[in-house]
């Protein structure tokens, strides 16, 4: 087994072990009303769009992001982890007709459209940085 392969296995095992015992970190959010949507912004450092799930129910929105990596380190100070994020917010009446979301530079932006949500829906988060690069090609 190569040193790189052994290191990868060590990180993968540390991540799996951490996920089993960790409690997701509550994410601070800003929520404001724009002209055509409610906008929620949340910091999600060190995660990728495929790590994020957004669930919408009548009157509620929930953001979760899975643990990205738990590489074993000897921290001198350890105040946050790479992922394992979660936040649920109440939505005012009249919002939830749809959700659009993107993640770029560690910031999640969620647009909650007007209208009523009929049943729970899950939204896929787009990679805003990759999308901008594709448009320029």
């Amino acid at each position: 087994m190569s040193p790189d392969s052994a290191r990868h296995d060590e990180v993968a095992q540390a991540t799996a072990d951490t996920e089993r015992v960790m409690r997701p970190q509550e994410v601070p959010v800003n929520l404001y009303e724009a002209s055509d949507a409610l906008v929620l912004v949340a910091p999600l450092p060190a995660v990728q769009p495929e790590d994020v799930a957004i669930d919408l129910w009548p009157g509620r929105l929930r953001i979760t992001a899975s643990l990205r990596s738990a590489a074993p380190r000897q921290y001198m100070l350890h105040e946050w982890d790479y992922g394992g994020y979660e936040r649920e917010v109440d939505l005012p009446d009249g919002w939830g007709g749809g959700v659009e979301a993107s993640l770029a530079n560690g910031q999640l932006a969620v647009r909650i459209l007007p209208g009523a949500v009929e049943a729970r829906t899950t939204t896929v988060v787009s990679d805003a940085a990759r999308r901008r690069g594709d448009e320029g090609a």
Side-chain angles (χ1 to χ4, degrees):
M1 181 180 287
S2 74
D4 287 343
S5 179
R7 177 72 177 147
H8 177 270
D9 291 347
E10 181 183 4
V11 170
Q13 185 61 50
T15 301
D17 292 345
T18 300
E19 280 186 315
R20 275 193 290 280
V21 297
M22 74 177 284
R23 181 172 175 256
Q25 303 167 83
E26 185 173 89
V27 178
V29 298
N30 292 330
L31 180 66
Y32 61 91
E33 187 173 345
S35 61
D36 59 347
L38 289 180
V39 178
L40 181 138
V41 181
L44 294 181
V47 298
Q48 299 297 315
E50 61 269 18
D51 301 327
V52 180
I54 300 171
D55 296 305
L56 179 66
W57 293 271
R60 267 187 321 177
L61 180 96
R62 181 173 180 236
I63 299 165
T64 55
S66 59
L67 177 66
R68 188 64 172 163
S69 175
R73 292 185 173 83
Q74 297 300 317
Y75 289 103
M76 294 175 69
L77 180 63
H78 187 192
E79 295 183 344
W80 64 280
D81 291 302
Y82 295 103
Y85 303 115
E86 181 176 275
R87 182 62 189 264
E88 191 168 311
V89 296
D90 293 328
L91 299 175
D93 291 339
W95 297 98
V99 171
E100 300 167 351
S102 63
L103 178 68
N105 298 321
Q107 179 175 286
L108 177 69
V110 181
R111 290 174 32 86
I112 303 133
L113 305 176
V117 60
E118 299 297 322
R120 178 181 173 179
T121 61
T122 300
T123 298
V124 175
V125 177
S126 69
D127 183 343
R130 184 175 302 140
R131 192 173 63 239
R132 281 193 306 272
D134 291 345
E135 289 171 358

